[in-house]
Coordinates of all heavy atoms in Angstrom, one line a residue:
A1 N 107.3 120.1 112.1 CA 107.4 119.1 113.1 C 108.2 117.8 112.6 O 108.8 117.2 113.4 CB 105.9 118.6 113.5
E2 N 108.2 117.6 111.3 CA 109.0 116.5 110.7 C 110.4 116.9 110.5 O 111.2 116.1 110.0 CB 108.4 116.1 109.4 CG 106.9 115.5 109.5 CD 106.9 114.0 109.8 OE1 108.0 113.5 110.0 OE2 105.8 113.5 109.8
G3 N 110.8 118.1 110.8 CA 112.1 118.6 110.6 C 112.5 119.0 109.1 O 113.6 119.1 108.7
L4 N 111.4 119.3 108.3 CA 111.6 119.6 106.9 C 111.2 121.1 106.8 O 110.3 121.6 107.4 CB 110.7 118.8 106.1 CG 111.0 117.3 106.1 CD1 109.9 116.5 105.3 CD2 112.3 117.0 105.5
G5 N 111.9 121.8 105.9 CA 111.7 123.2 105.6 C 110.7 123.3 104.4 O 110.6 122.4 103.6
M6 N 109.9 124.4 104.4 CA 109.0 124.6 103.3 C 109.0 126.1 103.0 O 109.1 127.0 103.9 CB 107.6 124.2 103.6 CG 106.7 124.1 102.4 SD 105.0 123.5 102.8 CE 104.2 125.0 103.0
G7 N 108.9 126.5 101.7 CA 108.8 127.8 101.3 C 107.7 128.0 100.3 O 107.5 127.2 99.4
W8 N 106.9 129.1 100.5 CA 105.8 129.4 99.6 C 106.2 130.4 98.6 O 106.6 131.5 98.9 CB 104.6 129.9 100.4 CG 103.3 130.2 99.7 CD1 103.2 130.5 98.3 CD2 102.0 130.4 100.2 NE1 101.9 130.8 98.0 CE2 101.2 130.7 99.1 CE3 101.5 130.3 101.5 CZ2 99.8 130.9 99.3 CZ3 100.2 130.5 101.7 CH2 99.3 130.8 100.6
V9 N 106.2 130.0 97.3 CA 106.6 130.9 96.2 C 105.4 131.4 95.5 O 104.6 130.5 95.0 CB 107.6 130.2 95.2 CG1 108.0 131.1 94.1 CG2 108.8 129.7 95.9
S10 N 105.2 132.7 95.4 CA 104.0 133.2 94.7 C 104.4 134.2 93.5 O 103.6 134.9 93.0 CB 103.1 133.9 95.7 OG 103.8 135.0 96.3
L11 N 105.7 134.2 93.2 CA 106.2 135.1 92.2 C 106.0 134.4 90.8 O 107.0 133.7 90.4 CB 107.6 135.5 92.4 CG 107.9 136.4 93.6 CD1 109.4 136.5 93.9 CD2 107.3 137.8 93.4
F12 N 104.9 134.5 90.2 CA 104.7 133.9 88.9 C 103.4 134.4 88.3 O 102.5 134.9 89.0 CB 104.6 132.3 89.0 CG 103.6 131.8 89.9 CD1 102.3 131.7 89.6 CD2 104.0 131.3 91.2 CE1 101.3 131.2 90.4 CE2 103.0 130.7 92.0 CZ 101.7 130.7 91.7
D13 N 103.3 134.3 87.0 CA 102.1 134.6 86.2 C 101.2 133.4 86.3 O 101.5 132.3 85.8 CB 102.5 135.0 84.8 CG 101.2 135.3 83.9 OD1 100.1 135.0 84.4 OD2 101.4 135.8 82.8
P14 N 100.0 133.5 86.9 CA 99.1 132.4 87.1 C 98.8 131.7 85.8 O 98.7 130.5 85.7 CB 97.9 132.9 87.8 CG 98.4 134.1 88.5 CD 99.5 134.7 87.6
A15 N 98.6 132.5 84.7 CA 98.2 131.9 83.4 C 99.3 131.1 82.8 O 99.1 130.0 82.3 CB 97.8 133.0 82.4
E16 N 100.6 131.6 83.0 CA 101.7 130.8 82.5 C 101.9 129.5 83.2 O 102.1 128.4 82.6 CB 103.0 131.7 82.6 CG 104.2 131.0 82.1 CD 105.5 131.8 82.2 OE1 105.4 132.9 82.8 OE2 106.5 131.4 81.7
V17 N 101.8 129.5 84.6 CA 102.0 128.3 85.3 C 100.8 127.4 85.1 O 101.0 126.1 85.0 CB 102.1 128.7 86.8 CG1 102.0 127.4 87.7 CG2 103.4 129.4 87.1
A18 N 99.6 127.9 84.9 CA 98.5 127.0 84.6 C 98.7 126.3 83.3 O 98.4 125.1 83.2 CB 97.2 127.9 84.6
A19 N 99.2 126.9 82.3 CA 99.5 126.3 81.1 C 100.6 125.2 81.2 O 100.5 124.1 80.7 CB 99.9 127.3 80.0
L20 N 101.6 125.5 82.0 CA 102.7 124.6 82.2 C 102.2 123.3 82.9 O 102.7 122.2 82.6 CB 103.8 125.2 83.0 CG 104.7 126.2 82.3 CD1 105.7 126.9 83.2 CD2 105.5 125.6 81.1
L21 N 101.3 123.5 83.8 CA 100.8 122.3 84.6 C 99.6 121.7 84.0 O 99.0 120.7 84.5 CB 100.4 122.8 86.0 CG 101.6 123.4 86.8 CD1 101.1 123.9 88.2 CD2 102.7 122.3 87.1
G22 N 99.1 122.2 82.9 CA 97.9 121.6 82.2 C 96.6 121.7 83.0 O 95.8 120.7 83.0
L23 N 96.4 122.8 83.6 CA 95.2 123.0 84.4 C 94.0 123.1 83.6 O 94.0 123.7 82.5 CB 95.3 124.2 85.4 CG 96.5 124.2 86.4 CD1 96.3 125.4 87.3 CD2 96.6 122.9 87.1
P24 N 92.8 122.6 84.0 CA 91.6 122.7 83.2 C 91.1 124.2 83.4 O 91.5 124.9 84.3 CB 90.7 121.7 83.9 CG 91.1 121.6 85.3 CD 92.6 121.7 85.2
P25 N 90.2 124.6 82.5 CA 89.6 126.0 82.6 C 88.9 126.1 84.0 O 88.2 125.2 84.4 CB 88.6 126.0 81.5 CG 89.1 125.0 80.5 CD 89.7 123.9 81.3
G26 N 89.2 127.3 84.6 CA 88.6 127.5 85.9 C 89.5 127.2 87.1 O 89.3 127.7 88.2
A27 N 90.5 126.3 86.9 CA 91.5 126.0 87.9 C 92.5 127.1 87.9 O 92.8 127.8 86.9 CB 92.1 124.7 87.7
E28 N 93.1 127.3 89.1 CA 94.1 128.4 89.2 C 95.2 128.1 90.2 O 95.0 127.6 91.3 CB 93.3 129.7 89.8 CG 94.2 130.9 90.0 CD 93.4 132.0 90.6 OE1 92.2 131.8 90.8 OE2 94.0 133.1 90.8
P29 N 96.5 128.3 89.8 CA 97.6 128.0 90.7 C 97.8 129.2 91.7 O 97.6 130.3 91.3 CB 98.8 127.9 89.8 CG 98.4 128.8 88.6 CD 96.9 128.7 88.5
I30 N 98.0 128.8 93.0 CA 98.2 129.9 94.0 C 99.5 129.8 94.7 O 99.9 130.7 95.4 CB 97.1 129.9 95.0 CG1 97.0 128.5 95.8 CG2 95.7 130.1 94.4 CD1 96.1 128.5 97.0
A31 N 100.2 128.7 94.5 CA 101.5 128.5 95.3 C 102.4 127.5 94.6 O 101.9 126.5 94.1 CB 101.2 128.1 96.7
L32 N 103.6 127.7 94.7 CA 104.7 126.7 94.4 C 105.4 126.5 95.7 O 106.0 127.4 96.2 CB 105.6 127.1 93.3 CG 105.0 127.3 91.9 CD1 106.1 128.0 91.0 CD2 104.5 126.0 91.3
L33 N 105.2 125.3 96.3 CA 105.8 125.0 97.6 C 107.1 124.2 97.4 O 107.1 123.1 96.9 CB 104.8 124.2 98.4 CG 103.4 124.8 98.6 CD1 102.6 123.9 99.5 CD2 103.5 126.2 99.3
C34 N 108.2 124.8 97.9 CA 109.5 124.1 98.0 C 109.5 123.4 99.3 O 109.3 124.0 100.3 CB 110.6 125.1 97.8 SG 110.5 126.2 96.4
L35 N 109.9 122.1 99.3 CA 109.8 121.3 100.5 C 111.0 120.3 100.6 O 111.3 119.7 99.6 CB 108.5 120.5 100.5 CG 108.3 119.4 101.6 CD1 108.0 120.1 102.9 CD2 107.1 118.6 101.2
G36 N 111.6 120.2 101.7 CA 112.6 119.2 101.9 C 113.6 119.5 103.0 O 113.4 120.5 103.8
P37 N 114.6 118.7 103.2 CA 115.6 119.0 104.2 C 116.3 120.3 104.0 O 116.5 120.8 102.9 CB 116.6 117.8 104.0 CG 115.9 116.8 103.3 CD 114.9 117.5 102.4
V38 N 116.7 120.9 105.1 CA 117.4 122.2 105.1 C 118.7 122.1 106.0 O 118.7 121.2 106.8 CB 116.5 123.4 105.6 CG1 115.3 123.6 104.7 CG2 116.0 123.1 107.0
H39 N 119.6 122.9 105.7 CA 120.8 122.9 106.5 C 120.5 123.3 108.0 O 121.0 122.7 108.9 CB 121.9 123.9 105.9 CG 122.4 123.5 104.6 ND1 123.2 122.4 104.4 CD2 122.1 123.9 103.3 CE1 123.5 122.3 103.1 NE2 122.8 123.2 102.4
E40 N 119.7 124.3 108.1 CA 119.3 124.8 109.4 C 118.1 125.8 109.2 O 117.9 126.4 108.1 CB 120.4 125.5 110.1 CG 121.1 126.6 109.3 CD 122.4 127.1 109.9 OE1 122.7 126.7 111.0 OE2 123.1 127.9 109.3

C-alpha cells in the first residue's frame, strides 16, 4: 500500500543466522525480509 516491495527469504541455516544476530537460547530466526523501493 505504501508502494514498497518486500521479499521473504528463508534460504538459510537457522543456527548460523541466530549466531550472526546474537539471538538468546530458545529464539529462532524465521525470515529475512528485504524491503524497499522497486523499479516495478
